[in-house]
Every structure is written in C-alpha cells, then in structure tokens.
Amino acid sequence: MSHSSLPVLFNKQPILSTQNTLLGFHLSLDVVGQKTLDEAQWQDAIAELNIEVEKSGGFDNLTKGLRTFYSAPTETLKVSSLPNFSHDNLWIEVHSSVIENKTYLTNLKEILGQGIRLSIQDYQGSEKDKKLLSIAHTVKISSQAHSLDHIKVLTQALPNNTDVILTHVDNEELREKLLAAGFTQFEGHFFTEPVIAIQAKPLEGSRLALVKLLASLNNPDITFEEVVNLIKTDAVLSHKLLSAINHPSNDLPHFIDNLKEAVSFMGLKRLKFWVNMIMMSQVDDVPKELLATALIRAKFLEAVAVHTGHQVDSERFFMVGLFSTLNAFLKVPMVDIVDKLPITDEIKIALTQQKGSMGKALFIVRALEQGNTQFIMMGHEGMNIMEISSSYMKASGWANQTLSAL
C-alpha cells in the first residue's frame, strides 16, 4: 500500500459549552474500511499527517491552543508515535479495553509521564471503565448510544472530580434536552442543525435585510461601484472591512483608510468574500464556531473542485460551502433562503438536496463533521481518503487564520 493511498482519515469535532463557547476539539485518526495497517504504515501515515498539519499552520493553529482530545488505534498510542502536539492541553482518548494489554498500559504510563492526560472513550460504567478512572479523570459518553436516563445513571455514579463530555451531539434539539438535564459540555456539530419550527416564521427584520444584502452582493453582474455603494450603507460593515484589510497578517505597505482603495487593493472576488463573511459574523445568537464551519466547508469544497476537474467552477463550489450554513445562521429552512438569492438551479439543488457535483462535495464535508467515515468507502470522483483528509485539515487551518483577521 503506497504512502499516498493509505486509507487513513484525520478528523476534527468541536467541543462547546452551555453558552456555545468553544472549549476544545476532538481529533481522531481512523482507518476507513475493513483494512489494517502494520507498524511501518502507521508511521508513514502519522509522518504524512504531521507534514499536512504543518502546511495548515501547525496543530496549535488547528486547535486554537485549546483542549485537544486525540483518539487513534491503540497500537499508535505511544509517545514516539504521537503527532506533533503540544502536550500542555493534550488528552489521549482510550477505550477501557487497554487495561487488558500490558504493552498498551506501559505505553500509557509513558504518555502520562509526559504530562499528557487521559480520557475514557465511550464510557459505559463497566468494571474496566471504573478501574481506568484511577488515572483518567475525564469521560466521554455517547448521546447516540445511551438514553438520557441511562446517561444520568452513568454520571451520577462517577467520582465528584470527573469531567463529563457528551459526544455525538449532532442536532440542536438533542443538545437542548441534554442542556436541560444539567450537562455542560457537548461534542459535535449540533449548531449546524438548528431547531426550526414546523410553522417557521418568515424572514423579517435584520435577517431579511441580511439575505437581501447577500443577494445583491452575490449577483454575478454586480460592479465594483455597486459593491462600494452597498458597503457604504452599513457603517459597521465598512469599519469591519477596513479593519480586516489592515490586519497585520496582510502585511500591507501602508494603512488603507477608504473603501475605494480597499476595493482596488482586494479585487472584486476577494472583496465579496470578506463582505459575505463579515455580514454572516454579525448575526446574533449563533456560536462563533458556525462561521468557522462555513469557512471550512467553503474552502474544502473549493479543494474538491480543483481535485476533481471542476476548477473552472471552484468559485461556485466555494459559495455553496459558505452558504450551506445560512439555515443555521437564520433559523429558517434552506429552501426559503435560496429562493431569495440570485443563484443557479444547480447551486439551489446542491444547497437543498445535496445533489450534483457541488451537492456531493457538500454531503462529504457534512459527513466528515459528524465523524461518519462510511460514506467515503469509494472516495469522491477519484479523490483518495488521504486527499480528502488533507483538504479538510487545510481548510480548517485556513479558516482559523482567516477568522483571526475579523
């Protein structure tokens, strides 16, 4: 099996608090399909992972320096085989079955000796789980595998100093039930699947204004002058745009203090992206991680376009990724939003039904977010698993760097 075709997927899940504050991430390294790797192949895979993450700005950029829970096949969990993580905020996630293997226990002791902490994966309250609690003070419980009543029973029996994180929280309705039951840490992309009332309110007020502004901005026939005039109507938008342009990361030769110069400097495509992003960031009552998700999806879909022979449509792939979260931002069905946007039927179908080449790419990134590796068994139009994994990591790194300018 060649280095570039190893069936290894690197994935990332956010962990959020009761206030939707980002607490950290779960990073996982998984073999996709019914394949196994030998030790040399795992070393290859981890070496490639380190290279790809460095291209994305390093692990600190990928995880924003927050708590990081890393899970991988047990045979790779030894100090010499860990990716290039900083140990300060690192937890290694293990299943309680490790206590049955002396080699793995020895490896864990060495890991603990490096100042790295342990978390119990898929905690079920078994005798093996309870033994592992003596060295692991964080447990993860699957909200998918257990009823709420059973989760309560499991957590009530835990020692008082145990940190509990609920996993597989993939929609807002489930998160609200868990929140009402007193739980405080949730792993998953629940914020991309909002609760929308059956009789959803029509778009109105500031949110209707946002969609109208997005519609005008993304009209394919819009001119530089029209973009400038649109931005001028919103003082906050103008200020944020100039602040973003003058961010140190852009390394400008001089300070830009007016919109006309900003337009000339950025070019229409880049300007439209920044205005789209700033407008979406101004929506109230949504977690900041939702904007990061929008950017990751956009950049990932752009990479898919390049990898699969759709480079001429890369801008449209990017737009589908960016706009795919508008239903979560606005708390209205996607079908109601696309009707108000000047987009082609192909883009509308991609956003509402995940069909067509752009829709398939959107389906893949959403499955990645949910940690669902089954979808990828056949790859995507010739992209192998490592290419998909690498593109997702690069998109995550790019999104974090881009958001730092806001």
Side-chain angles (χ1 to χ4, degrees):
M1 189 178 296
S2 69
H3 177 62
S4 62
S5 62
L6 293 171
V8 174
L9 185 69
F10 186 60
N11 207 356
K12 182 173 103 166
Q13 292 264 312
I15 301 168
L16 286 87
S17 71
T18 54
Q19 303 300 317
N20 280 333
T21 302
L22 185 65
L23 299 174
F25 294 98
H26 171 225
L27 302 183
S28 61
L29 194 63
D30 300 302
V31 179
V32 178
Q34 305 297 316
K35 296 178 180 174
T36 57
L37 303 185
D38 59 30
E39 187 172 347
Q41 287 170 328
W42 271 120
Q43 292 298 329
D44 272 356
I46 291 168
E48 185 164 353
L49 169 64
N50 285 329
I51 290 168
E52 293 300 332
V53 172
E54 286 307 313
K55 289 179 187 174
S56 308
F59 279 99
D60 283 343
N61 176 51
L62 199 64
T63 62
K64 303 182 184 181
L66 298 173
R67 283 194 295 166
T68 302
F69 293 84
Y70 175 68
S71 65
T74 314
E75 60 268 30
T76 71
L77 295 178
K78 47 189 175 182
V79 172
S80 60
S81 296
L82 293 180
N84 293 334
F85 289 113
S86 164
H87 292 177
D88 295 342
N89 291 304
L90 180 61
W91 277 251
I92 296 297
E93 202 166 296
V94 294
H95 193 272
S96 59
S97 59
V98 296
I99 66 171
E100 299 171 338
N101 187 302
K102 288 184 179 179
T103 300
Y104 295 159
L105 277 177
T106 301
N107 291 341
L108 286 186
K109 287 177 182 176
E110 188 182 349
I111 284 171
L112 287 169
Q114 297 291 311
I116 299 170
R117 285 151 283 193
L118 296 184
S119 168
I120 303 176
Q121 184 180 59
D122 192 22
Y123 183 83
Q124 300 188 42
S126 68
E127 287 307 311
K128 285 184 286 188
D129 280 334
K130 290 173 183 175
K131 285 180 182 177
L132 202 53
L133 278 174
S134 63
I135 55 172
H137 304 297
T138 302
V139 303
K140 288 191 173 183
I141 302 174
S142 171
S143 61
Q144 196 176 65
H146 304 284
S147 68
L148 180 54
D149 286 343
H150 190 222
I151 292 172
K152 288 178 182 176
V153 170
L154 287 174
T155 54
Q156 284 165 1
L158 288 168
N160 289 332
N161 65 341
T162 310
D163 204 20
V164 177
I165 299 171
L166 299 185
T167 66
H168 302 99
V169 185
D170 291 328
N171 63 75
E172 218 171 51
E173 184 179 11
L174 174 58
R175 184 251 184 193
E176 287 180 2
K177 286 179 183 175
L178 298 171
L179 185 62
F183 296 100
T184 60
Q185 298 182 99
F186 313 100
E187 181 182 300
H189 276 80
F190 57 87
F191 49 86
T192 66
E193 299 294 336
V195 174
I196 296 175
I198 295 173
Q199 296 295 324
K201 290 183 179 180
L203 281 167
E204 56 188 16
S206 62
R207 298 193 175 196
L208 177 59
L210 170 67
V211 172
K212 286 182 174 177
L213 195 54
L214 285 170
S216 299
L217 178 68
N218 292 286
N219 186 323
D221 298 322
I222 196 167
T223 64
F224 273 108
E225 197 63 39
E226 288 168 335
V227 173
V228 172
N229 289 335
L230 271 175
I231 299 167
K232 278 181 179 175
T233 64
D234 189 324
V236 174
L237 180 60
S238 299
H239 173 73
K240 285 195 171 184
L241 180 64
L242 289 171
S243 296
I245 292 168
N246 287 292
H247 191 269
S249 63
N250 286 326
D251 196 24
L252 300 182
H254 64 276
F255 189 84
I256 292 177
D257 62 0
N258 66 83
L259 287 176
K260 280 203 168 182
E261 189 179 1
V263 171
S264 300
F265 169 73
M266 298 186 87
L268 186 58
K269 178 183 173 183
R270 193 170 168 211
L271 179 70
K272 284 167 71 172
F273 160 67
W274 274 102
V275 177
N276 278 326
M277 190 175 72
I278 291 168
M279 285 193 294
M280 290 166 72
S281 75
Q282 290 178 264
V283 178
D284 295 328
D285 303 323
V286 293
K288 291 180 181 177
E289 193 60 19
L290 183 59
L291 184 57
T293 299
L295 293 177
I296 291 168
R297 288 183 181 184
K299 200 66 175 175
F300 178 83
L301 262 67
E302 182 183 69
V304 170
V306 172
H307 275 290
T308 58
H310 296 96
Q311 189 156 0
V312 68
D313 290 325
S314 60
E315 193 171 343
R316 294 200 300 158
F317 273 70
F318 187 95
M319 182 195 288
V320 167
L322 192 67
F323 284 1
S324 66
T325 53
L326 282 178
N327 61 319
F329 275 101
L330 303 173
K331 301 289 195 296
V332 294
M334 182 63 79
V335 67
D336 293 347
I337 297 169
V338 298
D339 283 344
K340 293 178 171 60
L341 294 172
I343 53 181
T344 64
D345 287 344
E346 186 184 5
I347 292 176
K348 287 182 181 180
I349 289 169
L351 287 168
T352 57
Q353 300 176 40
Q354 294 179 47
K355 291 182 178 177
S357 55
M358 288 177 278
K360 282 173 67 179
L362 178 58
F363 174 80
I364 281 185
V365 76
R366 291 183 65 171
L368 278 168
E369 291 166 359
Q370 294 166 11
N372 178 1
T373 59
Q374 297 307 307
F375 73 96
I376 211 169
M377 294 295 289
M378 301 301 292
H380 177 74
E381 295 184 15
M383 283 182 78
N384 66 42
I385 293 161
M386 290 297 274
E387 285 173 335
I388 288 174
S389 186
S390 172
S391 296
Y392 190 66
M393 279 188 288
K394 287 176 183 174
S396 296
W398 175 83
N400 289 346
Q401 291 169 336
T402 301
L403 284 171
S404 70
L406 266 183

